[in-house]
Amino acid sequence: DFTPWDGYAGFSCELYDNYLLWGKKDARHLSVNTALTVLWDTGEVAYVRLGEDEFGFVRSGSVNTYPVSTGSSGPEWTPAVL
């Protein structure tokens, strides 16, 4: 049995309408950390759901279980003034 799990698009995650991942021009690039649900995963290709009504296929290695760190989330560091 496969249990669906929530994940996040990684770098270079592209959504295809077919499990062969053909049609580069038809693929939709997903922004890093786009939330998705992995409904099935073969180890090479994952069938995913975005939101409530969008489905497609991505490379298994392009989905993460945690958000990708894209830099600091706090204010930028500035040197002290003496």
Side-chain angles (χ1 to χ4, degrees):
D1 282 340
F2 184 85
T3 302
W5 52 274
D6 293 330
Y8 302 89
F11 295 104
S12 302
C13 186
E14 294 184 324
L15 184 71
Y16 293 84
D17 64 357
N18 65 82
Y19 70 93
L20 298 173
L21 307 182
W22 284 355
K24 183 87 169 158
K25 66 179 174 74
D26 297 325
R28 190 179 87 168
H29 180 77
L30 300 179
S31 298
V32 173
N33 295 331
T34 297
L36 46 81
T37 301
V38 177
L39 302 173
W40 187 256
D41 191 350
T42 68
E44 292 183 27
V45 176
Y47 182 57
V48 300
R49 179 181 69 214
L50 282 79
E52 294 298 317
D53 59 355
E54 187 173 8
F55 298 85
F57 299 88
V58 298
R59 272 187 321 102
S60 294
S62 68
V63 180
N64 303 308
T65 53
Y66 295 98
V68 174
S69 175
T70 57
S72 99
S73 59
E76 289 188 32
W77 180 82
T78 55
V81 176
L82 299 175

